[in-house]
Amino acid sequence: MEKSGRGGDGAPRGPVLHIVVVGFHHKKGCQVEFSYPPLIPGDGHDSHTLPEEWKYLPFLALPDGAHNYQEDTVFFHLPPRNGNGATVYGISCYRQIEAKALKVRQADITRETVQKSVCVLSKLPLYGLLQAKLQLITHAYFEEKDFSQISILKELYEHMNSSLGGTSLEGSQVYLGLSPRDLVLHFRHKVLILFKLILLEKKVLFYISPVNKLVGALMTVLSLFPGMIEHGLSDCSQYRPRKSMSEDAGLHESNPPADDLVSMSAPEILNTNSGTVKKIMTGNHGGDAGIKTEEPLLQAEEDSSKGQEPNDTSQYLKPPSRPSPESSESDWETLDPSVLEDPTLKEKEQAGSEQTNSFPKESVPSDSPPITVQPQANTGQVVLIPGLISGLEEDQYGMPLAIFTKGYLCLPYMALQQHHLLSDVTVRGFVAGATNILFRQQKHLSDAIVEVEEALIQIHDPELRKLLNPTTADLRFADYLVRHVTENRDDVFLDGTGWEGGDEWIRAQFAVYIHALLAATLQLDNEKILSDYGTTFVTAWKNTHNYRVWNSNKHPALAEINPNHPFQGQYSVSDMKLRFSHSVQNSERGKKIGNVMVTTSRNVVQTGKAVGQSVGGAFSSAKTAMSSWLSTFASPAPQSLTEPPDGKP
């Protein structure tokens, strides 16, 4: 009889691909102990062998530092098998139990505690829904106190595929467990800074421990982008696990596959002499993003025009081969920071910059409408398709934006063994989460570090900080969100099921914001409109891959959208107070002024007590008045960054 979770050809019919158990071995480290169906067809359920693309699975499912917590939950993304298909979404529930409590204790259990994770690999991004089901089964599996009892795991696979087989990605179940309300309460107005950082496709690293807080915050920020969770992450983990230097060299020397897509503008096609098309490769991912991801954003177009066009227009151009530091898989438990430093890195970076400068100016799209070029195998001909194709399922407004495509990664949790991806030349950017402090210490590998616990955003580049400095209209928008969320904090909206001030309401506000911003960019005389969003920010955003893809296609539905900022208006006294409050709370200078005023008030009061009670009483009243005035500007929330010289808000 055919099982409900499998088709006649053995392929899974439901969204769940595998149920996996990952354990910690005292000699071998993290390893797969059970998989159903087997990860590699033909192997047994207890095989430790992993597909090459999923070699990091054990380290993702059983996170670094897990021994410090009794239980934890991890969301992670795996690349598709054989380079085909979409992202594989992983949800893992970790627990540990005392070894003496086990009914059946295997011979290889030599430690006082046993640490294991039960993991679901799914084709659908149903993070919260799968987590809720998986937590129950993981609890039951551990309550058996006999890990050889795997029947419950097989039943879980069948049950999930039968119950979720017809599950649609539309509706609130996609956002189960992701609360923008809690995010706004914690980050306050800085939520908008995070939103704009990702729009600019910057390298953003989230940092906190344990993992469930990390992945919850990161995925909640992404849920603010319309359609992103449902349809925008299918291409977000297109990376290759690190191989040896010899294998990397062989990879770059081989010819690129014929089905890679590359965006070019129409004049670039017409100006080719031989009728063939130059194909600009960016490693494994291809795409039209500039290779020099470390260059300042506003200088990208200017620098790209300096390249020289080669004579042979059919020549394949290859990016510099810069192998990453040696793999740390053997050092799964601890890693010396010196391992991450490559002594030959500077030389290779210099060689890479020389090769990068030889790229032709056509590698950056011109202002003319771009088209997609798809070389056909063995023919030398090309098919021209109007507009850039994101490969995502879009709505009438072009949502979700093609942010996580062409080498821009979304990794809710990164294992230490994936550290090389931060400096991989085929990765043009990332939104990633980490719990290991080594990630945070390598500040040069990211544009921004988000310390979730302190609600702190560290942006290292002063120019980027200026780009993200909120406009008056943006401050009004952020203040509007914070007020509606905090005012309803103790009523029916606490569970996120209400409308105004609730989770869905917050997502709706960000949808209105991004729709209006997109509509504003289409207006002919739009300088005044765009100034409300930040002129320099919009200029930088127009140079990103996601905007160029969106702008190359028509979206008639946006004609009905009001292009004005939702909170445009004349500057008022309340705006002055809002701006001053923002400056005092978030700039280094403002913090110093506030501290000086508080210190001065304290010293004056102490002096008053020394002079006499009557005088002291007067000074005490002055202190009370001073404190009352400062309280209108002070906030319990930690500082964000606007203009501190060292990049720390």
Side-chain angles (χ1 to χ4, degrees):
M1 183 175 180
E2 195 175 289
K3 293 186 178 181
S4 59
R6 312 289 292 178
D9 57 354
R13 295 191 312 195
V16 176
L17 299 174
H18 302 276
I19 302 293
V20 180
V21 175
V22 174
F24 175 77
H25 192 276
H26 66 284
K27 291 183 178 180
K28 302 176 182 178
C30 301
Q31 65 179 9
V32 171
E33 298 180 343
F34 168 84
S35 58
Y36 181 81
L39 293 177
I40 297 181
D43 284 1
H45 295 312
D46 57 351
S47 172
H48 303 316
T49 307
L50 288 167
E52 180 63 25
E53 298 88 348
W54 294 355
K55 64 186 295 184
Y56 301 128
L57 171 60
F59 311 102
L60 294 169
L62 198 59
D64 181 47
H67 60 278
N68 295 319
Y69 304 95
Q70 284 298 114
E71 55 185 308
D72 205 353
T73 302
V74 186
F75 300 159
F76 58 90
H77 294 156
L78 293 174
R81 298 279 293 272
N82 302 319
N84 299 318
T87 298
V88 175
Y89 306 95
I91 298 90
S92 173
C93 286
Y94 158 83
R95 292 195 68 176
Q96 64 176 327
I97 186 174
E98 291 186 356
K100 64 182 180 181
L102 295 176
K103 295 178 181 178
V104 179
R105 180 168 177 170
Q106 284 90 359
D108 59 354
I109 298 179
T110 61
R111 295 196 173 192
E112 295 181 355
T113 59
V114 178
Q115 303 166 1
K116 293 184 186 294
S117 288
V118 181
C119 176
V120 171
L121 302 183
S122 170
K123 295 186 293 185
L124 297 180
L126 300 171
Y127 303 98
L129 187 61
L130 293 175
Q131 175 190 353
K133 294 177 178 289
L134 187 58
Q135 282 178 331
L136 294 175
I137 298 301
T138 303
H139 178 76
Y141 182 55
F142 272 75
E143 285 299 309
E144 291 280 346
K145 295 182 174 59
D146 180 3
F147 295 119
S148 64
Q149 301 297 319
I150 59 176
S151 59
I152 189 174
L153 302 177
K154 295 181 179 180
E155 292 173 3
L156 172 64
Y157 174 82
E158 305 295 345
H159 168 72
M160 282 190 168
N161 275 328
S162 61
S163 62
L164 302 176
T167 300
S168 170
L169 286 177
E170 306 300 330
S172 59
Q173 63 182 358
V174 176
Y175 301 115
L176 185 64
L178 306 178
S179 176
R181 180 180 177 81
D182 292 340
L183 188 75
V184 172
L185 286 172
H186 186 60
F187 280 93
R188 303 179 73 83
H189 73 279
K190 293 185 282 291
V191 170
L192 187 57
I193 296 178
L194 292 174
F195 188 80
K196 285 189 167 185
L197 257 176
I198 297 174
L199 274 180
L200 292 178
E201 298 178 353
K202 292 300 180 181
K203 298 179 179 180
V204 185
L205 181 70
F206 285 71
Y207 177 83
I208 193 177
S209 189
V211 182
N212 66 82
K213 293 183 178 180
L214 174 73
V215 298
L218 189 151
M219 298 309 299
T220 301
V221 172
L222 297 189
S223 74
L224 301 177
F225 292 83
M228 186 62 72
I229 300 293
E230 299 95 316
H231 307 294
L233 301 177
S234 60
D235 195 35
C236 73
S237 62
Q238 296 283 354
Y239 66 86
R240 291 186 181 180
R242 200 179 134 320
K243 299 183 180 181
S244 64
M245 295 177 62
S246 60
E247 289 173 327
D248 285 343
L251 173 66
H252 290 302
E253 291 174 1
S254 62
N255 287 333
D259 57 350
D260 279 348
L261 298 180
V262 57
S263 62
M264 303 176 68
S265 59
E268 293 167 7
I269 305 298
L270 299 178
N271 290 338
T272 54
N273 298 325
S274 60
T276 57
V277 177
K278 296 191 296 292
K279 187 174 185 182
I280 311 302
M281 295 298 298
T282 57
N284 181 39
H285 306 289
D288 57 9
I291 302 297
K292 295 164 64 175
T293 57
E294 307 254 326
E295 291 295 323
L297 195 57
L298 297 178
Q299 298 178 6
E301 294 184 2
E302 178 183 349
D303 293 345
S304 65
S305 63
K306 299 177 182 178
Q308 298 296 323
E309 181 174 343
N311 296 327
D312 185 3
T313 57
S314 62
Q315 177 183 3
Y316 287 106
L317 299 179
K318 296 178 292 185
S321 174
R322 190 183 70 181
S324 303
E326 288 299 314
S327 174
S328 58
E329 269 127 17
S330 59
D331 303 321
W332 54 267
E333 190 169 28
T334 58
L335 179 65
D336 189 336
S338 63
V339 175
L340 302 176
E341 301 296 333
D342 189 343
T344 62
L345 193 59
K346 293 184 178 180
E347 297 179 5
K348 293 178 179 178
E349 283 181 343
Q350 293 174 357
S353 63
E354 294 175 0
Q355 295 184 37
T356 305
N357 289 334
S358 67
F359 274 60
K361 60 185 178 181
E362 283 84 351
S363 62
V364 177
S366 65
D367 294 333
S368 56
I371 58 180
T372 297
V373 180
Q374 184 175 7
Q376 301 299 301
N378 302 325
T379 64
Q381 299 178 353
V382 296
V383 176
L384 305 184
I385 307 173
L388 296 179
I389 300 177
S390 68
L392 307 177
E393 184 178 335
E394 300 175 353
D395 64 11
Q396 58 184 339
Y397 303 107
M399 302 288 105
L401 293 172
I403 296 175
F404 296 101
T405 59
K406 300 297 183 184
Y408 191 78
L409 305 183
C410 174
L411 304 172
Y413 172 70
M414 283 188 73
L416 196 57
Q417 288 74 15
Q418 294 176 299
H419 185 278
H420 68 279
L421 292 176
L422 300 185
S423 56
D424 195 321
V425 294
T426 65
V427 174
R428 63 186 179 90
F430 53 81
V431 177
T435 59
N436 194 299
I437 195 172
L438 291 178
F439 284 92
R440 188 177 64 172
Q441 290 174 344
Q442 303 287 313
K443 294 182 179 181
H444 63 284
L445 298 178
S446 60
D447 296 312
I449 297 178
V450 182
E451 298 190 31
V452 180
E453 186 70 33
E454 295 83 12
L456 188 69
I457 307 174
Q458 298 184 40
I459 299 179
H460 319 309
D461 182 10
E463 292 301 319
L464 181 56
R465 288 203 296 272
K466 291 180 181 179
L467 286 180
L468 296 171
N469 193 34
T471 64
T472 299
D474 279 348
L475 285 176
R476 294 172 186 160
F477 173 68
D479 183 62
Y480 177 74
L481 295 177
V482 172
R483 281 190 292 105
H484 277 72
V485 169
T486 54
E487 287 174 1
N488 297 314
R489 188 170 187 174
D490 298 322
D491 60 15
V492 296
F493 297 106
L494 185 60
D495 59 2
T497 60
W499 172 241
E500 188 167 337
D503 291 338
E504 293 299 323
W505 179 85
I506 294 173
R507 292 190 188 98
Q509 305 312 306
F510 277 92
V512 169
Y513 183 93
I514 190 64
H515 288 163
L517 174 57
L518 289 167
T521 62
L522 300 178
Q523 303 300 309
L524 296 179
D525 187 14
N526 59 4
E527 288 81 4
K528 178 62 174 69
I529 298 176
L530 294 180
S531 64
D532 285 331
Y533 299 97
T535 303
T536 55
F537 163 77
V538 175
T539 301
W541 179 45
K542 286 184 175 181
N543 194 47
T544 63
H545 172 72
N546 73 81
Y547 179 82
R548 291 199 301 267
V549 170
W550 179 88
N551 191 48
S552 67
N553 296 280
K554 303 298 182 182
H555 307 286
L558 277 176
E560 302 176 2
I561 300 296
N562 183 356
N564 293 308
H565 194 292
F567 288 85
Q568 67 161 351
Q570 295 295 325
Y571 200 76
S572 63
V573 175
S574 60
D575 293 323
M576 295 175 61
K577 180 178 179 181
L578 191 61
R579 173 66 65 182
F580 183 67
S581 174
H582 172 78
S583 299
V584 170
Q585 294 176 32
N586 300 285
S587 70
E588 194 70 24
R589 187 181 301 109
K591 288 191 297 180
K592 290 179 179 178
I593 293 175
N595 291 335
V596 167
M597 295 180 71
V598 171
T599 303
T600 302
S601 175
R602 186 183 302 114
N603 293 337
V604 167
V605 171
Q606 292 174 353
T607 303
K609 288 182 179 179
V611 172
Q613 183 66 34
S614 59
V615 178
F619 280 117
S620 180
S621 300
K623 175 192 175 184
T624 302
M626 178 72 73
S627 301
S628 176
W629 181 76
L630 286 174
S631 66
T632 62
F633 304 108
S635 171
Q639 278 63 265
S640 168
L641 68 85
T642 48
E643 36 180 42
D646 59 351
K648 285 192 177 182

